[in-house]
Amino acid sequence: MTLMQAFPTRTRGVPLPLNRPVNRPVYRPLREPLGARGGTAPRRRPVPCRPGGAALRYPGTGLAISAAPHRRRPVSVATTVGLAVLAGMITLWLGLMAHFGELVNSNSADSSAGVPDRLAVVRVAAGESLQDVAARVAPDTPVRQVVERIRELNDLDSSMPVAGQTLIAPIG
């Protein structure tokens, strides 16, 4: 068994602070017996154990602190190099997965190459959505790509334009 914390032995005159609040003053008993100075006990105020301006003392914090000596083990060069190589391999793997995912989902920057380059001003008919407008102005191009291009050109947030609104759209 390892000794975690040792307290100094208490003297006879110091009262033990058990079962009481820590900041309440502890009164010392009178040292003189009755009648030592003429038959009556001296009248004086009880004195607290700590001075008035001193900080409160707490006998223990409740934390077990190891007293064993600890030395730092140096990290070897091989460990450092191994961790660096592992981090590089993880980074390379994540980059390849992101690139592969981009190719599979066809969200690359070249995907707008299928959208026609010629632009025209188009008027929206009553009850038409952006998908309807895109299918009407560029029937041979994927509708989703044309809608994205129309939103980008006109800075739109909604997919439902107002009837009679003019939009810049790719035609082809």
Side-chain angles (χ1 to χ4, degrees):
M1 184 164 130
T2 304
L3 180 64
M4 293 296 190
Q5 193 170 12
F7 293 103
T9 57
R10 295 183 180 268
T11 60
R12 228 179 48 198
V14 178
L16 296 173
L18 297 175
N19 298 329
R20 66 170 180 81
V22 177
N23 57 357
R24 187 176 359 146
V26 175
Y27 298 102
R28 294 183 181 156
L30 298 174
R31 301 264 187 243
E32 300 175 6
L34 293 174
R37 283 200 223 168
T40 61
R43 299 274 182 189
R44 62 180 191 145
R45 279 180 64 193
V47 180
C49 286
R50 66 179 177 88
L56 296 176
R57 285 182 28 215
Y58 297 100
T61 61
L63 295 176
I65 301 171
S66 172
H70 298 287
R71 65 175 183 88
R72 288 191 63 156
R73 290 184 296 166
V75 179
S76 68
V77 175
T79 303
T80 305
V81 170
L83 288 174
V85 168
L86 179 66
M89 289 173 54
I90 290 172
T91 304
L92 181 64
W93 174 258
L94 290 174
L96 287 174
M97 289 297 105
H99 182 69
F100 180 69
E102 187 176 331
L103 290 177
V104 168
N105 292 330
S106 69
N107 287 335
S108 65
D110 312 351
S111 67
S112 63
V115 178
D117 291 333
R118 291 183 27 216
L119 301 177
V121 176
V122 179
R123 186 172 301 268
V124 179
E128 237 181 352
S129 67
L130 283 181
Q131 287 80 10
D132 298 332
V133 173
R136 180 169 49 102
V137 296
D140 298 333
T141 311
V143 173
R144 190 179 112 227
Q145 293 177 357
V146 177
V147 168
E148 288 176 9
R149 182 74 173 134
I150 292 173
R151 282 189 181 169
E152 181 182 303
L153 290 170
N154 296 289
D155 195 27
L156 296 176
D157 294 332
S158 167
S159 64
M160 203 59 195
V162 181
Q165 180 178 2
T166 57
L167 298 174
I168 300 172
I171 58 169

